[in-house]
Amino acid sequence: MTTPVTRRDFLRSGAAAAAGASLAPAAFPSVQPGERPAPPEAAAPPLPPPPPRAQYEDRIARVQELLRAAKVEALLEVPGPGMLYLTGLALERSDRLVGVVVPASGPISLYCPLADQALAAEGPLPIEDVRLWEERDDPIALLSKHIRKLDVSRLAIGSRCWYDEFASIHGEMPKVTLVTTSAFVGALRERKSPEEMALVAAAASIAEQAAETALAGAREGMREADLAEAAEDRVRSAGAAAVVAAQSGPNTAVPRRPAGERRLAAGDVVVVIVSAQVRGYWAEVARTGVLGRPTGRMKLIHETLRTAQDLALERARPGAIASSVDQIARAAVGGRGFAKFYLHSLGRGLGLERIELPHLSPGYLGALGSGAPITLAPGVYTPGEYGIRIGDVMELTPDGSRLLTTPPAELTSI
């Protein structure tokens, strides 16, 4: 009978210490029973700096240029990736409107509660016109006066705006045409600056090391939740935020299933998916292994997915239609007889969100552009049995594409 392994046992094990050496030169020191091991002595590599102030100023200027070209007089972004992209402010939602107003010409304005005054002043982009509202105020009424003063007939609103806010804005300004900010902020966010790409690359490296280290330390009897927590600890020790999923056995056949209480058993396929966030920028890596010897079918699936990745990487370049990159990977999987087990698109863009444009999927007909980081994550999922997935990050360069991570050559035997 197999004795269950707890997360504490896993962290104390020599295997975990050896796996940890890939992230830091120092191994975990020996510990007494019941003690939590100390973290490695060597510090994680320094993270890249955030985008400089000049980059935020350039973004505002480029958005304003797009607004003028489209004859849209102003834009409103609420807390979320749009506001973070334009101002560097990571303000939280409130029970009432919080937002930044970008006119087609002139200085921007920020609406936020009095309690956020200090946070607003700490942003990388100085905002002179900060309009603080108090509990007795109606910020949407204040916004309406501002918009009328700007003589706005068309106002772009961020997609993260709640419907109640949207309805109130429309009620206050019924003659103003409301459009989406996707053609303005969204269009710029798709292609990353070198500073942004450095942050995505750092996140990809952290995610890759955490996924591979956790997978190498998987043992019979561990819970999926323990494995996920071990990977998450690795990401956090490197100074990043994390979202982690760990699946085993038949649970791997459901791509989006979160880590649960199931315990790993001999012969299980094990999948670890790590999303790491560095200074707001995300990257995601997926790794698959087998507790024991993989079957011939498992090896064939893994080989097929690697071929699909390679073909997609060759096809992906600026100007290529996104759906064509998905199509060539899908054809490689279908050519081996696994078409009906291919349940999702090949990949999607990364950045301030874990899912951004462009999408490498049959329904996305947009052209790829240089400077876009994109996941390459093909998978084959057999219901009730197992799923195998490889997830890596590529960058579109001016003359093609390159991987920011290193896909495993073979299916890992744990």
Side-chain angles (χ1 to χ4, degrees), residues 62-63 66 85 181-192 357:
R62 292 169 68 191
V63 164
L66 292 173
Y85 179 80
T181 63
S182 296
F184 312 106
V185 181
L188 296 181
R189 282 179 52 201
E190 188 171 331
R191 301 184 184 186
K192 273 60 177 180
L357 295 177

Side-chain angles (χ1 to χ4, degrees), residues 41-308:
E41 295 180 3
L47 301 176
R53 169 181 169 176
Q55 196 160 116
Y56 292 106
E57 293 172 337
D58 179 65
R59 291 170 182 175
I60 294 292
R62 292 169 68 191
V63 164
Q64 289 181 320
E65 183 179 350
L66 292 173
L67 289 172
R68 290 193 295 270
K71 301 187 184 306
V72 174
E73 291 85 5
L75 174 149
L76 171 69
E77 279 287 2
V78 297
M83 178 184 285
L84 185 61
Y85 179 80
L86 291 175
T87 67
L89 289 173
L91 298 181
E92 295 186 3
R93 304 298 298 256
S94 177
D95 58 329
R96 280 163 288 175
L97 180 73
V98 177
V100 60
V101 176
V102 180
S105 299
I108 67 175
S109 304
L110 176 68
Y111 285 84
C112 68
L114 181 63
D116 285 351
Q117 183 176 10
L119 295 176
E122 293 172 358
L125 180 69
I127 302 176
E128 295 183 3
D129 186 18
V130 178
R131 306 190 176 203
L132 302 170
W133 50 262
E134 301 185 42
E135 294 302 313
R136 63 178 178 272
D137 295 328
D138 179 357
I140 291 180
L142 298 176
L143 172 69
S144 177
K145 293 179 182 178
H146 184 189
I147 294 301
R148 285 199 296 271
K149 185 175 291 188
L150 291 174
D151 195 23
V152 172
S153 61
R154 300 182 73 203
L155 174 67
I157 296 183
S159 60
R160 294 301 180 91
C161 184
W162 286 333
Y163 178 77
D164 286 349
E165 291 175 339
F166 181 89
S168 295
I169 291 171
H170 178 65
E172 284 282 343
M173 298 174 278
K175 295 183 180 180
V176 174
T177 300
L178 305 178
V179 299
T180 178
T181 63
S182 296
F184 312 106
V185 181
L188 296 181
R189 282 179 52 201
E190 188 171 331
R191 301 184 184 186
K192 273 60 177 180
S193 68
E195 292 85 354
E196 291 177 291
M197 280 305 313
L199 294 170
V200 173
S205 177
I206 291 170
E208 181 178 29
Q209 292 182 32
E212 292 179 352
T213 299
L215 191 63
R219 295 293 181 266
E220 290 182 51
M222 288 181 65
R223 298 181 310 151
E224 293 174 347
D226 296 329
L227 189 58
E229 191 174 353
E232 185 172 344
D233 285 347
R234 281 288 168 190
V235 174
R236 294 190 185 283
S237 70
V243 174
V244 178
Q247 307 159 337
S248 64
N251 286 347
T252 61
V254 183
R256 299 181 185 275
R257 186 182 295 281
E261 297 300 308
R262 187 183 185 277
R263 295 188 180 274
L264 279 59
D268 273 354
V269 170
V270 182
V271 177
V272 179
I273 306 168
V274 179
S275 295
Q277 184 193 50
V278 173
R279 303 196 193 282
Y281 286 83
W282 288 96
E284 183 176 285
V285 173
R287 292 290 181 259
T288 301
V290 179
L291 278 174
R293 298 181 60 181
T295 66
R297 183 176 185 271
M298 292 175 184
K299 292 180 179 180
L300 177 61
I301 291 174
H302 190 273
E303 177 187 330
T304 300
L305 297 180
R306 283 289 294 110
T307 298

